[in-house]
Amino acid sequence: MLEFSHVSASYDGELPVLCDVSFTINDGEFVAFVGTNGAGKSTTMRLINGLLKPTEGTVSIDGVPTTKLKTSELARKVGFLFQNPDRQICCNTVREELLFGFKAQGQEGPEANAAVDAMIERFGFDPDAEPYLLNRGTRQLLALASIIVMAPPILVLDEPTTGLDFRECVKVMDIVRELNEQGTTVVMVCHDMEVVGDFAERVIAMTAGSVVADGPTFDVLRNGEVLKKASILPPQVTEIALILGQDPALAETPIAQANTVNAMARAVTARAEEQFASAMQETLAEARRVEIVEGAILDDIAAVLSQEQQDAGTSSTESSDALDAKEVH
């Protein structure tokens, strides 16, 4: 468990970057920190892994303040992925990079080699490749792999998808989600609300060094006041749903509640089917009304014709009787 209790922090000892920040992240959660530049998100991440110490309050990992943990102890508990992988990569080959953490912690040996071999196979790396000759996305994957090979229980990501194209982004985040599903606690700083909406289960919004919202992802990303305070925009589908929800006819429908493309597609399809069914019912009802009216008209015509036939029959009988009477006379 990760806990901030009334934490304040600064870099120069004077101007506070964080002001009285408190929150708790339980084991296995996937939490995204959002907000504009300068909100205090990256500072919060540095406090988590011990790169920065609080000037006030306490940052605790599993109940132990980070001020009482050695750097090596923190490294075993918290893996940190920098925004720029080139600030993290420091070895001449991929294999050496993946082994670096084990060497730094004095854990070299058969188990470390086996873990590195498994990571190389999992990511499809060339173990002899030079890291700085790899493309941006692969360097980011290597930096991520060099952390998760150590199996830290907490993974901190500072803008993990910056500079990546769509496929690279999906590959990185799918791996992160898999780790989370296996029990790793994931704490992520991210400006891309599409990524936040797709992967995070909880969002902590910050502005000016303070927390302005903390809750389930879309509870936060649908709160207009929070969005304004944190100067962020919701994911595109959520934004469309919020706009459509302003129509009273749609306000209480699944369309106004959709947060993903699939949810919106299902909602729109269901709405269209509902309207089609309603239109068909109206059409059938109208057809039935027409049928009834036509039937009534035909009945009236039949009655008139029948009456005319009866009248004609009566007239013919009277004429015949009159002729018979003349013949008798």
Side-chain angles (χ1 to χ4, degrees), residues 39-53:
K41 307 182 302 299
S42 293
T43 299
T44 301
M45 301 305 106
R46 292 185 177 92
L47 285 162
I48 292 174
N49 75 346
L51 290 176
L52 183 66
K53 304 299 182 183

Side-chain angles (χ1 to χ4, degrees), residues 111-320:
E111 291 185 3
N113 288 325
V116 167
D117 289 339
M119 199 61 57
I120 288 172
E121 182 177 356
R122 179 181 182 181
F123 282 80
F125 291 137
D126 175 357
D128 299 318
E130 296 183 37
Y132 287 106
L133 296 181
L134 302 174
N135 64 39
R136 175 67 167 76
T138 306
R139 294 201 305 279
Q140 185 78 318
L141 285 172
L142 176 59
L144 177 61
S146 70
I147 296 168
I148 64 177
V149 73
M150 303 297 298
I154 300 174
L155 182 60
V156 176
L157 312 173
D158 191 0
E159 297 289 355
T161 61
T162 298
L164 303 185
D165 62 27
F166 177 75
R167 290 183 180 181
E168 293 168 339
C169 173
V170 170
K171 189 170 185 178
V172 167
M173 292 309 302
D174 280 346
I175 292 170
V176 172
R177 174 152 55 191
E178 181 181 343
L179 291 169
N180 179 246
E181 290 172 349
Q182 294 171 355
T184 300
T185 302
V186 177
V187 183
M188 174 179 70
V189 169
C190 191
H191 281 98
D192 189 337
M193 294 303 109
E194 304 297 333
V195 172
V196 172
D198 286 342
F199 294 93
E201 298 169 351
R202 172 183 167 193
V203 166
I204 296 177
M206 300 186 70
T207 185
S210 299
V211 172
V212 294
D214 181 354
T217 297
F218 288 104
D219 285 359
V220 174
L221 296 183
R222 281 178 162 271
N223 188 316
E225 184 178 350
V226 171
L227 295 175
K228 185 177 180 180
K229 284 183 178 179
S231 298
I232 57 176
L233 294 173
Q236 291 182 0
V237 172
T238 302
E239 185 172 17
I240 291 170
L242 289 170
I243 293 172
L244 292 175
Q246 296 174 9
D247 182 345
L250 298 175
E252 301 300 325
T253 69
I255 290 176
Q257 304 303 318
N259 292 310
T260 66
V261 172
N262 289 338
M264 180 63 80
R266 288 194 299 269
V268 170
T269 299
R271 179 73 173 178
E273 290 175 348
E274 179 183 330
Q275 290 182 329
F276 177 76
S278 177
M280 285 297 297
Q281 290 177 351
E282 290 181 4
T283 300
L284 291 173
E286 181 63 25
R288 179 58 181 163
R289 285 194 293 271
V290 170
E291 182 181 356
I292 292 172
V293 171
E294 289 179 344
I297 293 173
L298 291 175
D299 289 344
D300 289 345
I301 293 173
V304 170
L305 292 175
S306 176
Q307 184 63 44
E308 289 179 349
Q309 289 176 351
Q310 290 177 3
D311 292 344
T314 301
S315 175
S316 175
T317 301
E318 290 177 351
S319 298
S320 177

Side-chain angles (χ1 to χ4, degrees), residues 46-112:
R46 292 185 177 92
L47 285 162
I48 292 174
N49 75 346
L51 290 176
L52 183 66
K53 304 299 182 183
T55 54
E56 293 182 21
T58 305
V59 178
S60 302
I61 296 177
D62 295 332
V64 181
T66 56
T67 52
K68 295 183 179 181
L69 292 170
K70 296 179 181 179
T71 302
S72 58
E73 292 176 311
L74 279 170
R76 292 188 183 95
K77 292 177 176 290
V78 182
F80 193 99
L81 180 67
F82 287 87
Q83 180 175 339
N84 184 350
D86 296 340
R87 293 184 177 180
Q88 196 155 348
I89 295 171
C90 59
C91 297
N92 293 323
T93 68
V94 167
R95 174 174 284 279
E96 290 175 356
E97 188 66 36
L98 295 174
L99 278 168
F100 180 80
F102 293 103
K103 290 181 179 179
Q105 296 184 22
Q107 298 178 8
E108 294 179 86
E111 291 185 3

